[in-house]
Amino acid sequence: MTAIGRLKTRAEFLHVRDGSRFAAPSLVLQARARGEKAGDQPDVARFGFTASKALGGAVLRNRARRRLKEAVRIVGPEHAVPGYDYVLIARAGTVQRRFTEITRDLERALTKVHQAPRP
């Protein structure tokens, strides 16, 4: 079981942007290994959440982020890899899809971003 942390600074989000990514109907997942940093917790997987204004007003964006956070709380400890940072980007499907489908999308995305790329 993996401990879950949070990404908070812009620099952390930008670091993850250059990693692997997987798009599902309800979310986009970006993932990147943290590397060796002084004072870093290597046994923790950290998550960041974002929803752009294109998604809608503040109420919709906040609802989308809350749904993604709950999905990570349920799926993250079993499927996240320690030492990785993840960014979940909300899509229109985040608010519209059933929650069980969102958790299924997240499980699939966490599996896919850690597979070796095809030649």
Side-chain angles (χ1 to χ4, degrees):
M1 187 169 229
T2 305
I4 302 295
R6 291 288 302 273
L7 298 177
K8 296 180 181 172
T9 66
R10 177 169 167 76
E12 293 171 338
F13 279 80
L14 292 177
H15 173 76
V16 176
R17 182 178 61 181
D18 296 330
S20 58
R21 80 188 265 131
F22 180 80
S26 60
L27 58 92
V28 175
L29 177 69
Q30 299 173 334
R32 187 168 183 191
R34 259 195 310 280
E36 302 289 327
K37 293 182 184 176
D40 218 2
Q41 298 173 327
D43 58 337
V44 173
R46 299 187 308 175
F47 284 84
F49 305 91
T50 186
S52 72
K53 286 188 177 181
L55 188 63
V59 172
L60 284 178
R61 292 194 312 269
N62 288 334
R63 181 177 296 144
R65 276 194 298 269
R66 282 194 310 269
R67 294 185 95 196
L68 290 177
K69 288 176 186 179
E70 183 63 14
V72 166
R73 188 186 68 77
I74 293 169
V75 174
E78 296 297 323
H79 292 87
V81 175
Y84 265 77
D85 289 342
Y86 301 95
V87 172
L88 279 90
I89 303 169
R91 299 178 89 177
T94 308
V95 176
Q96 298 167 351
R97 288 171 66 92
R98 292 176 38 194
F99 186 72
T100 55
E101 293 172 345
I102 294 172
T103 58
R104 209 172 313 132
D105 286 346
L106 181 57
E107 286 175 7
R108 196 169 98 232
L110 285 168
T111 302
K112 292 286 188 178
V113 293
H114 293 296
Q115 289 179 348
R118 294 181 185 175

